[in-house]
Amino acid sequence: MTEIFKYFLFHFINEMMKKILSKSAITKTQATILIGIIVIIAIVGIAYYATLPPPGPPPPAPKPVIKVGLLWPVTGALALIGRDQVNAFDLVIDEVNAAGGIKSLGGARIELVLGDTKGDPKTGAAEAERLITETKVHVLVGAYQSAVTATCSEVAERYGIPFLNPDSTSPGLTARGFKWFFRTTPHDAILVKNMVDMVADIEKKEGVSLKKIAIVYENTLWGIDSAKVIKEYAPTLGYQIVLDLPYPAGATDLSSEVLKLKATEHDVLMQASYLSDAILFTKTFKELGYWPKLWIANDAGHIHPDYVKTLGKAADYVFSREVFCADLGAVKPAIKEANNKFKARYGYDMDGTMARAYTAALLLVDVLERAGSTKPEDIQKAFKATDWPEEKVPMPWKGIKFDDTGQNIKGVGIIVQILDGKARTVWPFTIATTPYKWPVKAPWS
């Protein structure tokens, strides 16, 4: 290239000198000097050109971005819960992006976009619409409260956008015939059934009969639905409901209810009460000398920290259904690993809500890797094909696998028992951290 350039340069200069001399505009000496200058400039230019490095490869194309919309309440009364969920989800996504993103999509980076529901169904729906139509998210995740999840997922269903729900437990959410809705957490019907399942397991393990069940519950939607599941499910396993006792929530005197319990022969008490009622019932049990063979609560008041704080030793021995307990890290490595990472970053243990958000993030990453696409139909197909084994899930579940309604059929709850003032996981027996204590006398006896 350089030699060719020199050849043409020489002939060019020679021709120019002939033209200049023919017009006699300058002397021959002057022309020679001018040409000499031109030749020097040309030589310097050629030398500079020769020292330039060869052209490199074109700059790499920017990595694609997968947009994930998070719909949680980060302001308002539930802000602390919503922020904890965002933190848990963000922890997983940060790790994935730092490790090179979604490999099946050329290292695509996941971008989280927050939609604040403020705990309000209408606000949640508006935020879902904004994230889909303006931000162009590929997936939506949320939204904690069942009522908000209902409206947000309706918007996603209308636009054909996959919606991952980690944390809402109303059974009706997966009974709507939706095609884009996937729920990982067990719902209330499953969790309440676990209470009956544990009684059956204790019967087998102890070789005893606990067939007669009394139900006490507050007369609200939650209490009535809890009792409804027990009344429908328990008889299918051979149990008899001998007392069906609703009571007014927030009652100031529960003596008549406790006297009815004392007057009815039964083996098991199943109860659904929030904190103030749970405390008053327990105090009345103590005052009137009531104590069942086996007592199981449906979460709520009996697992609240103030229950133990108020009652002290009188809180011991009650069982309660739960969704997660930090002590499970001692028996399940996936839970320990997840909780350790969360605690290292934020300084405290995960609870059930945070753990479900963390698990949802892990699942979504896996779904995107298997989808290898950001098309809604491909992501939906990957969700449907999910089949995680128990050991992979940082929750006390048997795995993750969705049925045709979008419900994870491997989700189960746990049963804890308060022992020495602390809730400990005692069921399912395969992941129990502490042997359950039974039979027991009343803690005040």
Side-chain angles (χ1 to χ4, degrees), residues 1 12 29 41 88 124 192 234 261 268 282 299 385 398 402 420 445:
M1 179 72 181
F12 172 75
T29 302
I41 293 172
V192 172
L261 284 169
V268 179
T282 306
D299 203 57
K398 297 178 180 177
F402 298 105
D420 297 325
S445 63

Side-chain angles (χ1 to χ4, degrees), residues 291-353:
W291 185 253
K293 291 180 181 176
L294 200 156
W295 176 19
I296 308 176
N298 182 16
D299 203 57
H302 292 86
I303 53 92
H304 194 283
D306 282 356
Y307 181 75
V308 173
K309 186 178 178 181
T310 302
L311 296 169
K313 287 295 293 181
D316 272 357
Y317 307 139
V318 63
F319 293 87
S320 178
R321 72 92 174 161
E322 253 284 17
V323 295
F324 180 88
C325 193
D327 68 352
L328 288 170
V331 295
K332 191 169 184 180
I335 290 177
K336 182 179 181 180
E337 179 183 352
N339 193 56
N340 285 349
K341 285 182 179 179
F342 185 91
K343 194 170 185 177
R345 182 158 171 174
Y346 300 111
Y348 50 94
D349 290 319
M350 285 196 287
D351 64 12
T353 303

Side-chain angles (χ1 to χ4, degrees), residues 3 7 10 28-29 52 58 197 218 238 284 295 316 334 344 349 351 389 395 419 431 433:
E3 293 302 320
Y7 172 80
F10 173 78
K28 185 175 181 179
T29 302
L52 290 176
D197 292 337
E218 63 168 51
T284 310
W295 176 19
D316 272 357
D349 290 319
D351 64 12
M395 291 292 295
L419 298 169
I431 59 171
T433 63

